[in-house]
Amino acid sequence: MLKERGRIATKRKKPKARSRERKRVLLSALIISFIAVLGVVVVGVIYTVVAIQQLPSPDQFSTRQVSQSTKLYDRTGKVLLYEIHGEEKRTVVPLSEIPNSLKNATLAAEDSNFYTRPAFDWRGILRAVWTDIKEWRAAAGGSTITQQLARNAFLSGEKTITRKIKELILAIELESKYSKDEILGFYLNQIPYGSNAYGVEAASQTYFNKPVKDISLNEAAILASLVKAPSYYSPWGTHTDDLITRKNYVLDRMVSLGSITQKEADVAKKETPDFAPPSIGSIKAPHFSLAVKDYLINKYGEDAVINGGLKIITTLDWPTQQIAEKVVHDGVKRNSELYKGTNAALVAQDPRTGQILALVGSHDYFDTEHEGNFNVPLQGLRQPGSAMKPFAYMLAFEKGYSPKSIIFDVPTEFVSGNNNCPLIPNFDDSSAHSECFHPQDFEPFAGPVTFEQGLAQSINVPAVKVLYLVGLKNLLETAQSFGITTLTDPSRYGLSLVLGGGEIKMIELVNAYATLAEEGVRHDQTMVLEVSDSNGKVLDTYRDQNTKVIDPEYPRLINQILSDKQLRSGLFQGSLSLTVFPNRDVALKTGTTNDYRDAWAFGYTPSLVVGVWAGNNNNTPMQRQGSSILAAVPMWSDFLNQVLPNYPNELFTKPDPLPLSQKPMLGGQYVYNATVGGTTRPQIHSLLYYVDKNDPTGPIPKDPSEDPQFLNWEAGVLEWAKKSVGNFGFFNQPIPFGAEVSGSGGGVTIQNITPSNGSFVTSPFLVRADIRSGSPLQTVGIYINGVPATLFEEISQESYRFEYQATQALGPQNTIEIRAVTSDGKSGSSKIIVYRR
């Protein structure tokens, strides 16, 4: 019994022992916590005392460290292009001369509780601290006007906890020494407004060319809006729409705070600000320089660019830029008189590096009447006209077509299966349905043309057909691989894409042509060679970034075609001399939108690519003089004539010889002379009669009508043949099923005819052609307008160079047909159309 009581007694003591143990642990924890807190407090006090001692006196406003400007140089590092906020332009004015509208606008934009709270906004600080903890970074936020003044006057823009503590201490000191009005006066005379303007008086003079006491409510709201991001919201920059949006927000805030009435705000919102032009001479190559500035701010931050003293070596070649500016200035003067075209732009690039050598964004950056500060190459989304055609033809060559392949330039309706769209379009019918699509050319339809003629002479219908053959999806993917990023909505374009049915950025299309010059290697574009800090430490340097996007053979074919002066002669006629540079390989592709809103010239050598645009910044069309507009080519030609002597005389790499296809039309002949049982049955059909667009070098389609475009193409070709081919009633006789057929093209091919199809000629003129056959040639004859001109007999060669001096009188439009017959009875013919000059 006693033992049991003892055990019970022992059990009762254990809870008391545990309780005493817990108290000892708790007491120890409290002591440790107290010591830790005390330590933190002591450290905080010591840190604060040290920080206070190290901080400058708020009385020293006039002796603070001046920020260093960032300087942009040309590629030599010797020509200063632009100094970003180089010196602080400031005129101190008393608070009494600053309009209440500007004071209230600033308070509404930056610190509406300035007069009712202490130096700091504890709620804002807590939000910033929470962001710091949550995102593990030093965040912006929580800054009152007093804190902003302390930061701008004495501290750097770094986002650290230390800087925020110093800012808070200085703000408290400021408010202990000065009244709210004094602090607001300091603030309005101290802070940056961009473009070297510090303080409201300098800002007012800089942007409105008037004293601050004379500004309107609208202008006051604009100045208050600049404080948040002076460079981004600059009235001379590229974000003026965002500036107006923020200005309207400030006006709405003023209404909500009772500073102005709603009526006053509405009147101010409707007022168009009259900004003074930038100081002329303070910036060279302004569109280029400001584009570099935007790039730097995006990469390094606004504060580092404005105050960090960076040294930037750009890619700009200053002598080349000066030539570009003069050429554009003179070209716009000419276009204004001829075509009512008030603007132009030019970009020159090194295709081997992607470096921009010259950039003129508009003809005069300081021309406010025509929005001269708009940077067309970088900001504009413009339709390129025919400038997209080379990329479609390049894909066609990749699929197996050749430059000598034949395609018909005849009236063609490309919308199939629509009763509102007749197969033979009527171009005189003004009531044609909008869903129909039957493009025209600037010149009369040329009939059968080679792929190279269609591209070099920029003929529309063949280009649309080529796009159908290669596929819209393939062209969009190729454009993207060549650096064009804006063609992102296939549903908007359709087959009209090769005629300019999609918007591009000029600078990206320049790089696409540079990729052609580089035979399929795309180099990323750059405007900066080197960035170094104020101590000379290099922060970044140019490194070539390149990607091979297509086999080089196909760009070589394009380069050969676009640099062939004879091939493009039919397009330029009397202006051909503008495109010729003696003893140099220079490729050229032009583009003009149907409504003449845009005119383009993209030309290149192996070492230089140049793009020129002409038009109006407000997107109004130019006015045509004659049959077309020659607005961009003269500027392009003038520029190249001046700069090409500085570049080596290089030739494009010639493409490898292509095997001669024996398939109808792919081999260069449009009349297919099928021989059945010794009888020749000549055939004229559209290309889709002979090729499957998905496998052009494969078998001839068993049923061409399975292609949804076949009936449309065939109708146009047959209609042309009825009018243009003599005795066409004997053509296209049915070939019996199962009959043995020989003579792909009759065994005879006739190629490289000059003058080219669609050319303008003056009698007398020389006709040449290359004729090949599988057996010796017996006779070769030439027919002009259906009349035999001459006949060469007993040639006895399988390969023959035909030449004939034509002296016949010509009509406005003329047919020239060459016919050849072999010793074993096979025949072939080829016909072109020329026009009397």
Side-chain angles (χ1 to χ4, degrees), residues 163-204:
R163 196 270 293 160
K164 288 185 178 181
I165 293 174
K166 292 179 179 179
E167 175 184 302
L168 182 59
I169 294 170
L170 281 172
I172 294 171
E173 277 199 78
L174 282 170
E175 293 225 347
S176 70
K177 294 178 180 293
Y178 303 103
S179 68
K180 289 284 189 178
D181 281 347
E182 288 176 314
I183 290 172
L184 182 60
F186 292 149
Y187 178 85
L188 292 173
N189 278 294
Q190 180 71 32
I191 58 173
Y193 286 86
S195 301
N196 301 338
Y198 284 72
V200 292
E201 178 66 15
S204 180

Side-chain angles (χ1 to χ4, degrees), residues 408-634:
F408 276 91
D409 176 36
V410 294
T412 306
E413 173 58 60
F414 287 93
V415 174
S416 57
N418 189 326
N419 293 331
N420 293 323
C421 304
L423 294 180
I424 306 298
N426 181 2
F427 294 102
D428 298 324
D429 184 5
S430 59
S431 64
H433 286 258
S434 59
E435 67 262 30
C436 302
F437 178 51
H438 41 267
Q440 289 181 269
D441 295 311
F442 290 115
E443 301 295 340
F445 290 99
V449 297
T450 62
F451 275 41
E452 62 183 5
Q453 289 170 337
L455 173 57
Q457 297 177 28
S458 198
I459 309 175
N460 286 338
V461 170
V464 175
K465 289 181 175 179
V466 167
L467 176 54
Y468 175 74
L469 294 174
V470 302
L472 176 63
K473 181 175 180 291
N474 291 333
L475 180 59
L476 291 174
E477 290 174 351
T478 297
Q480 186 174 23
S481 71
F482 271 64
I484 297 172
T485 64
T486 57
L487 300 176
T488 57
D489 186 2
S491 63
R492 289 185 52 236
Y493 314 131
L495 295 179
S496 66
L497 182 61
V498 287
L499 307 183
E503 295 78 21
I504 54 89
K505 286 185 177 180
M506 176 183 177
I507 198 165
E508 292 183 349
L509 195 49
V510 166
N511 202 30
Y513 276 89
T515 306
L516 289 176
E518 271 288 271
E519 300 179 355
V521 176
R522 189 192 74 242
H523 297 263
D524 291 351
Q525 290 174 309
T526 183
M527 298 184 186
V528 174
L529 292 177
E530 184 179 278
V531 179
S532 55
D533 64 17
S534 57
N535 297 317
K537 179 183 178 182
V538 176
L539 304 178
D540 194 14
T541 188
Y542 162 78
R543 295 178 182 84
D544 181 31
Q545 303 289 331
N546 62 80
T547 307
K548 180 179 178 181
V549 296
I550 196 171
D551 186 278
E553 195 62 23
Y554 308 113
R556 287 172 186 167
L557 288 168
I558 297 298
N559 297 341
Q560 178 176 262
I561 293 169
L562 295 184
S563 60
D564 189 320
K565 297 179 284 292
Q566 182 63 37
L567 276 175
R568 64 173 174 251
S569 61
L571 173 64
F572 289 96
Q573 303 173 30
S575 303
L576 181 64
S577 61
L578 291 173
T579 75
V580 176
F581 305 88
N583 302 317
R584 286 187 180 269
D585 262 3
V586 180
L588 171 64
K589 185 67 194 77
T590 60
T592 306
T593 53
N594 288 336
D595 51 10
Y596 301 104
R597 297 180 192 273
D598 305 277
W600 303 90
F602 293 93
Y604 55 96
T605 71
S607 54
L608 180 66
V609 179
V610 180
V612 175
W613 167 85
N616 292 301
N617 268 356
N618 62 5
N619 212 32
T620 56
M622 293 181 286
Q623 296 180 9
R624 186 177 71 176
Q625 298 288 339
S627 62
S628 63
I629 280 182
L630 201 66
V633 170

Side-chain angles (χ1 to χ4, degrees), residues 235-254:
W236 303 326
T238 58
H239 306 108
T240 50
D241 289 343
D242 292 341
L243 171 61
I244 298 303
T245 299
R246 178 156 176 80
K247 180 260 295 185
N248 292 338
Y249 160 79
V250 171
L251 290 170
D252 291 337
R253 283 282 294 156
M254 294 176 74

